[in-house]
Structure formats: C-alpha cells, structure tokens
Amino acid sequence: MIADALTGGFTDAPLQSARAFREILEALARPGTIRQVSGARPPPPLSTAAGVVLLVLADPTTGVHLAGAADRPAVRDWIAFHLGAPLVRAEQADFAVGTWTALHPVTRFRIGRPDYPDRSATLIVECDRLVNHGPALTGPGIETATWLNLPETAAFRANHGLFPLGFDTVFTAGDRLSGLPRTTRVEKI
Amino acid sequence: MTDTSPLDRKKWMATLAKASPARLATLFPKMPPHRILRQPEIGALMVRGRMGGTGAAFNLGEMTVTRASVQLETGEVGHAWVQGRDRQHALRAAAVDALLQTDRKADLIAAVLQPLEAEAQAGRAVRGAKAAATKVDFFTLMRGEDT
Amino acid sequence: MYVAVKGGERAIDNAHAWLAEERRGDPAVPELGIAQIREQMALAVNRVMAEGSLYDPDLAALAIKQARGDLIEAVFLIRAYRTTLPRLAASNPVDTGAMAVDRRISATFKDLPGGQVLGPTFDYTHRLLDFTLMADGAPLTDAVPHTPVPSPRGRDGRGGETPRVPHVMGFLNRDGLIETALPDDTPPPDLTREPLELPADRALRLQALTRGDEGFVLSLAYSTQRGYGRTHAFVGELRIGIVAVEVDIPELGFAVEIGEIELTECETVNQFRGSRTEPPQFTRGYGLVMGQSERKAIAMSLVDRSLRWQELGEDFTGAPAQDEEFVLMHCDNIQATGFLEHIKLPHYVDFQAELELVRKLRAEAQAMQEAAE
C-alpha cells in the first residue's frame, strides 16, 4: 500500500463528517447551490470535495466505481484504507467518480427499481469549476429557478424523465460541490 | 526497516488483538512517539458462519471491534483491528505492530509477544485439560435379544 | 391512528426515577457489578448477545443490569446500541472445525474420533435446588482437576495450536449417506441491511433464526417433534467452544484473526426417503448461535431442517414450522414486543371512534326493535 494512501482522511471524523454531511444534504436538497467542504486530502486527481463525499457517504457496503483517470493505484489504496468500499464495475456502482467524459455513457449506471428506487447510483462528477451560470434548473428545492454550468443537458433531462427512477449527481470542483438530484428539471439548451 | 513476512505479521497482529487490553497495557505501558493515521474507531463486524459447518456462508450476527492506525516518527506504519471497544488497546496494538517492523523487533518479541503467546497457550491448556476431564466413553449395555 | 399527546412530563420523570430506585432494590444489599453479571449470569448474557445479534459480553451484562433482568428489554437495548455502530467489515466465515471445544457430544455415534466431551453441562444434574449456593462464601466443591489429562486438542502434546476436531457429519459424508454441504463464499444476504423479502433463501432463514427468540424457536422445534412437520431429527453433533474470527484487512491485503468468540453449533441428521433426483440418504439441519446456547442451537437446527421441505421435495403439511413466512415474520422478539406492547400506549382517538360506532350501531338496533314492536 502506498504510504500516502493512509493520510488525507478526516482527523476528527465525528465532527468533520457531520458537518460535511450537512453540506452534501443542503446541496442535494437545494439543487444548484454551491457549498464548500473540507477535511479530505485524497490523492490526485480526486478533488477535496469528491474525497469528502466519498468519506461521508461510502463504506464497505457500497460499491465505488472509479472512472477514467480516477482509477489509479493511489486512489484505489486510499479508498481501501479510508472507506473499505469495494471497487466495482459501473453497472454495479453505488457511487461513481470521474470527469463527465470518463463517466460516459451514463446510461450504464443503476437507476433503481420501481419498488426500490433508492437502489441507484450517485455520480460524483469532477469539474474544473462550478458557477451559477448555464442552463436553468427548476423543481423541488428551488424557489423559482437557478443556474449551473452543467457539462451537458440532454443526459440530465433524460434522467429526470425516468423519475422516480434515475441516478443522482454531485458536481465537485476543488473544495466546492453542488447537487443535481433526479427530481430537478433541466432547461433544454 | 526489517524484513517482515506477511505470515509473521498476520500472527503477531492476531496475538495483539486477542490479548486482554489490561495485559497489553502492562507489557507495553509507554506509547512511542507517533502520529495517528486513523483515530481509534469503534464499529461492528458482521460475523459469518457456514451452513452445516462447511457449506455456503450466512450472517450470524455482529461483534464489536475497534481499529486504529499509527505512524512512527521513523516512518513505519502500524495497523490494528481488535475485538471489543477499547481504544487504547487498538492504539497500543497498532504501535507494537509498527515497532515490530523496526530494529526493535527482537526486544518487542521478548517483552510483549512471547509473554502474551505463552499466557494464551497456558489458558488454552487449562481449558483443554478441564474439557478432557469431562471426556466420557459410553458403553452400550448388553441387550436381552443379543444373547 | 396515531395522535400526538402532550403532558405528563413530571409524572414520566418520576416514573423513571422510581424505576431507577427499584432497579437498585434494597440499598442494604450490595449492588451488582457488570463483571459479576458477565461472569456469573453468563448464560443470560449469551442469550442477550445472540438475540441482540451483537457479541460483546460487557454490553450485554450492562443491558441486563439496566433492564432489571428483563432479557427481552436487554435485547432491545443491545439492538438499539448496535444501530449506532458503523459496519466496518464482514468476517471470513468462521471455521467451526477448528473450534477449541469445551463440549462436544453426538447422539448418533458413541465412538466418535476425538471423543465425547461433556463440558460444563446441566445434563446429568439432578435438578435439585442446591442450597449451598445460598450460603455466602461457600467453598467451591469438587474443583475440576488441573492435572494435565491428554487433551482432546493437545494431540501434538504441546497444547499449542488448536488441532481440528472433525465434524461427525464428515464420517457419514464419506459413505455418501448424507447430503454434502459444499463451501460457497458468495456474500450472503443480510436482513439487517435489506428488508426481508419472501421467499427467503436458507442464509436469510438461518440469520433470522439465530437472532430469533429462543422461546419461539424452541416451541416451533418442539412442534416438529410432536408431528407438525415431522422431520425425525437426531443430534449428529453438538459442540460448544471458542472460534477465532478472521477478517480481511483492506489496508494490508491479508486476513488477520482479530478476536475469539464462543459459539454453539448443532447439526442434526434427519431421515430422507429420497426424491426423483436424490437417492434415500440423511439430510441435515443446522444451528449456530453465539455463546453457550445449546437449547437454542438444537431448536434452530430442527426449524432450519423443517423449513427446507421445498428444496428437498417434501410435502407441505401446513405445519407452522414449515411455513417460512410464519416463522420469519414472527421469530424476532423485538419486532413482536414492539407491536404487542404498543397497544398499551395511548390510543384514545381510535378508541373514541370505536365507541362512537358501537353507540351508533346500538341506537340503530334499538330503533329497529322499537319499530318492529
């Protein structure tokens, strides 16, 4: 195991994970808002925010898929030590991490079943930056409308059409993150 | 760093995990300078059994377990997973695991591992002797129709 | 119907304070320590661990103390505590063939290799109250001799590594007289993680039974013996002892024994007349329970066997112990006690509605009677 893999986790897990959980909850409850998180220093290319989401949400019972450049030994070891989560194929993933290009095609991810729509994937999409500019978002948790620089709109519109099934998305850039659950309507551009 | 075969390490980690926390604290009272990579974390471990003792796995129930990881100033990393909820036990076991990868290995084997192993063995022997004292031979009594 | 009620806060506080006082009992009598309960009420501790589904003798002893000896309440406390723990991993399946046995008996083979070991059993006691236990500080009578006797596991003469004590079933297996149980390490379903769906497979049934209520499982097992889903079981082997628990440590890439737990294992041998695909042979029922829990392990193996009727192509006779839904949905004493005891809590609105209805029906009946007269 690479020694770096052993560092970069929470140093005060109960407090840090509770705070981070709150931020992730807010991000998904108020889609499009951009939140800041801290406490994780995962190996590159993972962002702090992606590391925090994994530390808070993934554990040995959730399969993690590393897409593209995220799939490298240092990241694998970091996940093994800090999460103990099994690494799985995209089709089995509870969480998938990577750039939008690396995650494609997103139709391969789990969308749940009619009796258990929660048995679906959460995509952690690594972005260069997050700004409230781009396609308009409307729906539950958004008072009127908000905007976010999505990598594309068609896939999210199709995903919304599957409701109550579908995947959920967290966009991450540096120490910032923003949520786009399946309930959000995305403007056609 | 001295050469460590996984087999040795597997064995000493088991010895440290199964030691009573109080006994380990007596044998290894002073923690070496270290930094903590993983704070002692108390959790549950799902214990599995096999159907018929040899067959397919099933979930039997959980047990409490505590894990911790430390790094010595000299760089060696020690891990511990121990039964129960004793944080100090996990930290001490992780520190000994790390020290056993240094040139202090021989000292620690003599001061910590050997006493623990000897005591565990003595404990097993006492229990084994008690069990053996309850060993019976059942005799089938002669039955009328057999004569 | 549920309705929030307010008030009674002081009464509730006082009730709880009184509960604490009653828990302590007469202050002139020394208070029980957790270690005393753990060491001297070990079988109660074992039951709370098995049904609480968490192996931690100190916590089980604490729960028993807090619950004033009400074991189901203690199980409830353990189950509640368990939900606060992160699940760190699952162990490799324990190897009961490597158990350091305290007790190992067979009702089917008297001359089993390794011998019959009675262990600390209630069997062959006279079930007469022992008044010497009432006398404070009475010396231990007849301490077990410490003189080394050739140990059943000390084959190497060093008393070191525990040698394997072979399962009795292995001997029958050699002749093909009993169904085989081949290893399979597929991660089993976990009813504490996924809601129970029926039909359940055998792994789920065993998990439900091992944490199920001892009284319920005992009665079901007894019912199979009396003819309700008859399976005619013999105890092939019953063993109690210590097994090591081994886990794959993700950061190391190898497995480590991280502790030891006491288990009771029971395998029954059951007659089987054969089916279209299987020749006549013996089949097996299996029980594995935390701690020294012999009655529960035997009962579990009988009910396990009884629930396998479909897999073995036997007839469903309508017996409760064959009915998977009946068994699995009712064996958990925390679910049962929760639903049962909730009816003592305020149901004023429901009852008011019932009252209105009965009054209305009575008025209608009276009106009809008067009209007829």
Side-chain angles (χ1 to χ4, degrees), chain C residues 46-230:
Chain C
N46 286 343
R47 183 167 176 189
V48 170
M49 294 196 298
E51 293 172 26
S53 203
L54 185 70
Y55 196 99
D56 190 314
D58 285 321
L59 288 182
L62 169 62
I64 290 168
K65 178 172 177 174
Q66 188 178 334
R68 302 179 66 195
D70 178 339
L71 295 190
I72 292 184
E73 181 71 20
V75 169
F76 200 159
L77 293 170
I78 291 299
R79 290 271 185 95
Y81 173 80
R82 188 217 128 238
T83 63
T84 67
L85 296 174
R87 168 78 63 83
L88 299 184
S91 80
N92 294 331
V94 290
D95 181 4
T96 52
M99 182 186 276
V101 292
D102 284 348
R103 171 165 170 78
R104 181 212 187 207
I105 54 167
S106 171
T108 50
F109 297 97
K110 69 182 172 63
D111 302 314
L112 69 167
Q116 307 249 7
V117 178
L118 295 183
T121 179
F122 290 124
D123 295 352
Y124 314 108
T125 62
H126 295 114
R127 265 73 186 217
L128 298 174
L129 279 176
D130 179 359
F131 288 96
T132 60
L133 291 173
M134 240 177 161
D136 282 342
L140 277 174
T141 52
D142 303 332
V144 177
H146 274 235
T147 39
V149 189
S151 153
R153 54 189 113 123
R155 272 193 313 215
D156 56 0
R158 291 181 290 114
E161 295 301 309
T162 307
R164 300 187 63 83
V165 181
H167 280 109
V168 169
M169 294 301 180
F171 308 127
L172 276 175
N173 210 359
R174 252 172 249 160
D175 304 331
L177 287 175
I178 194 159
E179 58 164 329
T180 47
L182 296 172
D184 176 1
D185 284 346
T186 314
D190 183 352
L191 62 81
T192 68
R193 292 280 156 158
E194 304 279 345
L196 183 62
E197 285 179 50
L198 298 172
D201 66 5
R202 192 175 174 204
L204 271 182
R205 298 199 300 249
L206 289 172
Q207 186 183 10
L209 289 173
T210 192
R211 71 209 299 265
D213 183 72
E214 180 172 318
F216 181 82
V217 180
L218 167 66
S219 294
L220 277 175
Y222 180 45
S223 75
T224 69
Q225 290 184 295
R226 290 194 62 256
Y228 291 85
R230 192 168 175 75

Side-chain angles (χ1 to χ4, degrees), chain C residues 354-366:
Chain C
E354 300 262 319
L355 208 58
E356 293 289 325
L357 183 67
V358 171
R359 283 196 178 121
K360 196 171 149 225
L361 291 173
R362 281 173 64 97
E364 281 170 12
Q366 202 176 0

Side-chain angles (χ1 to χ4, degrees), chain B residues 5-94:
Chain B
S5 86
L7 203 66
D8 282 350
R9 197 169 180 199
K10 188 178 158 93
K11 202 168 166 226
W12 79 50
M13 287 182 80
T15 303
L16 293 167
K18 293 179 192 172
S20 99
R23 187 68 185 129
L24 181 59
T26 310
L27 293 172
F28 184 72
K30 196 169 164 288
M31 288 287 281
H34 66 279
R35 72 169 172 144
I36 290 177
L37 296 174
R38 174 156 35 222
Q39 290 286 351
E41 181 184 14
I42 298 173
L45 173 79
M46 177 53 89
V47 180
R48 289 184 177 149
R50 287 189 188 283
M51 300 172 193
T54 55
F58 70 97
N59 288 311
L60 177 68
E62 290 167 311
M63 65 188 269
T64 51
V65 60
T66 306
R67 64 179 179 182
S69 300
V70 302
Q71 185 170 32
L72 302 180
E73 281 180 333
T74 42
E76 292 81 4
V77 172
H79 300 291
W81 285 57
V82 304
Q83 179 174 7
R85 291 165 292 107
D86 193 309
R87 292 185 174 86
Q88 290 307 314
H89 183 192
L91 280 176
R92 272 182 223 287

Side-chain angles (χ1 to χ4, degrees), chain A residues 17-37 52-53 56-57 132 137 139-143 146 148 169-171 176-181 183-184:
Chain A
S17 59
R19 285 202 189 109
F21 182 80
R22 183 76 209 180
E23 294 301 323
I24 298 165
L25 190 67
E26 286 289 332
L28 284 163
R30 299 172 208 287
T33 59
I34 297 170
R35 321 283 312 186
Q36 202 172 9
V37 291
V52 166
V53 174
V56 171
L57 299 183
N132 286 122
L137 311 179
I142 304 168
E143 193 170 7
T146 184
L148 193 68
T169 310
V170 178
F171 297 103
R176 285 147 50 95
L177 58 83
S178 189
L180 189 78
T183 49
T184 304

Side-chain angles (χ1 to χ4, degrees), chain C residues 295-347:
Chain C
R295 184 186 303 118
K296 172 79 171 285
I298 300 171
M300 175 176 168
S301 57
L302 262 61
V303 179
D304 168 50
R305 176 59 187 81
S306 167
L307 288 170
R308 295 181 63 209
W309 64 272
Q310 208 158 16
E311 169 197 346
L312 295 168
E314 294 171 333
D315 291 334
F316 178 68
T317 62
Q322 287 182 311
D323 185 335
E324 178 179 273
E325 180 173 350
F326 182 84
V327 176
L328 297 193
M329 292 309 216
H330 301 116
C331 67
D332 191 282
N333 54 25
I334 299 310
Q335 283 170 9
T337 201
F339 198 55
L340 182 103
E341 293 199 43
H342 100 281
I343 63 171
K344 73 191 173 186
L345 300 173
H347 278 64

Side-chain angles (χ1 to χ4, degrees), chain A residues 8-11 16 37-42 48 52 55:
Chain A
F10 288 143
T11 47
Q16 287 175 307
V37 291
S38 63
R41 280 175 293 109
T48 295
V52 166
L55 281 178

